[in-house]
Amino acid sequence: MLNKIKKELFLQGLYGETSAKIIEERVNALNGVSDAIMDFENQTLTIQITNVNDIDSIIIKAKYIIQDKEPQVVVRIK
Protein backbone atom coordinates (compact mmCIF):
# COMPACT_ATOMS: atom_id res chain seq x y z
CA MET A 1 0.00 0.00 0.00
CA LEU A 2 1.29 3.45 -0.88
CA ASN A 3 1.31 6.06 1.85
CA LYS A 4 1.93 9.70 0.99
CA ILE A 5 4.19 11.58 3.32
CA LYS A 6 5.12 15.24 3.55
CA LYS A 7 8.70 16.36 4.17
CA GLU A 8 9.84 19.93 4.63
CA LEU A 9 13.34 21.11 3.90
CA PHE A 10 14.68 24.41 5.21
CA LEU A 11 17.03 26.01 2.68
CA GLN A 12 19.15 28.40 4.72
CA GLY A 13 20.88 30.96 2.52
CA LEU A 14 18.59 30.68 -0.51
CA TYR A 15 18.28 34.20 -1.87
CA GLY A 16 17.57 33.80 -5.58
CA GLU A 17 13.90 33.56 -6.50
CA THR A 18 14.78 32.24 -9.96
CA SER A 19 16.92 29.48 -8.44
CA ALA A 20 14.10 28.63 -6.04
CA LYS A 21 11.71 28.14 -8.96
CA ILE A 22 14.21 25.94 -10.82
CA ILE A 23 14.76 23.82 -7.69
CA GLU A 24 10.99 23.44 -7.28
CA GLU A 25 10.60 22.34 -10.91
CA ARG A 26 13.46 19.83 -10.74
CA VAL A 27 12.24 18.27 -7.48
CA ASN A 28 8.72 18.05 -8.92
CA ALA A 29 10.16 16.05 -11.82
CA LEU A 30 11.60 13.34 -9.53
CA ASN A 31 9.96 9.93 -9.64
CA GLY A 32 8.04 9.39 -6.42
CA VAL A 33 7.24 13.07 -5.85
CA SER A 34 3.59 13.97 -6.24
CA ASP A 35 4.14 17.65 -5.47
CA ALA A 36 6.92 20.01 -4.43
CA ILE A 37 6.20 23.58 -3.40
CA MET A 38 8.83 26.21 -2.65
CA ASP A 39 7.96 28.90 -0.12
CA PHE A 40 10.69 31.35 -1.06
CA GLU A 41 9.88 33.83 1.70
CA ASN A 42 10.32 31.18 4.40
CA GLN A 43 13.08 29.32 2.53
CA THR A 44 11.10 26.08 2.78
CA LEU A 45 10.62 23.34 0.22
CA THR A 46 7.65 21.07 0.96
CA ILE A 47 7.74 17.71 -0.81
CA GLN A 48 4.85 15.26 -1.07
CA ILE A 49 6.30 11.77 -1.48
CA THR A 50 4.04 9.07 -2.88
CA ASN A 51 5.68 6.08 -1.22
CA VAL A 52 7.05 6.05 2.31
CA ASN A 53 9.79 3.64 1.16
CA ASP A 54 11.24 6.34 -1.14
CA ILE A 55 11.73 9.05 1.49
CA ASP A 56 15.48 8.70 1.93
CA SER A 57 16.32 8.50 -1.76
CA ILE A 58 14.09 11.46 -2.64
CA ILE A 59 15.58 13.60 0.15
CA ILE A 60 19.08 12.75 -1.10
CA LYS A 61 18.13 13.63 -4.68
CA ALA A 62 16.45 16.87 -3.60
CA LYS A 63 19.55 17.88 -1.62
CA TYR A 64 21.71 17.15 -4.67
CA ILE A 65 19.47 19.34 -6.85
CA ILE A 66 19.62 22.17 -4.31
CA GLN A 67 23.39 21.96 -3.86
CA ASP A 68 23.95 21.74 -7.62
CA LYS A 69 21.99 24.94 -8.22
CA GLU A 70 22.95 26.85 -5.04
CA PRO A 71 26.10 25.39 -3.40
CA GLN A 72 26.08 27.92 -0.52
CA VAL A 73 22.65 26.77 0.72
CA VAL A 74 22.53 24.70 3.91
CA VAL A 75 19.70 22.16 3.76
CA ARG A 76 18.00 20.93 6.94
CA ILE A 77 14.99 18.68 7.36
CA LYS A 78 12.34 20.48 9.39
Side-chain angles (χ1 to χ4, degrees):
M1 180 177 165
L2 298 179
N3 298 313
K4 281 190 182 180
I5 190 157
K6 177 175 85 169
K7 285 292 184 181
E8 292 184 326
L9 303 180
F10 178 67
L11 284 63
Q12 182 178 355
L14 179 66
Y15 301 113
E17 200 164 345
T18 302
S19 292
K21 188 67 176 163
I22 291 168
I23 290 167
E24 179 183 80
E25 290 170 358
R26 290 181 182 173
V27 173
N28 260 311
L30 292 174
N31 286 334
V33 173
S34 63
D35 197 23
I37 300 171
M38 177 66 75
D39 180 346
F40 178 69
E41 187 174 310
N42 292 312
Q43 298 182 327
T44 302
L45 176 64
T46 303
I47 306 170
Q48 289 287 338
I49 300 169
T50 56
N51 187 337
V52 70
N53 296 324
D54 295 333
I55 293 171
D56 292 336
S57 66
I58 289 173
I59 296 298
I60 289 168
K61 290 174 186 174
K63 285 181 176 181
Y64 176 80
I65 289 167
I66 294 161
Q67 293 295 298
D68 183 56
K69 188 66 188 158
E70 293 290 331
Q72 81 286 353
V73 170
V74 176
V75 181
R76 292 183 307 181
I77 299 173
K78 286 179 109 178

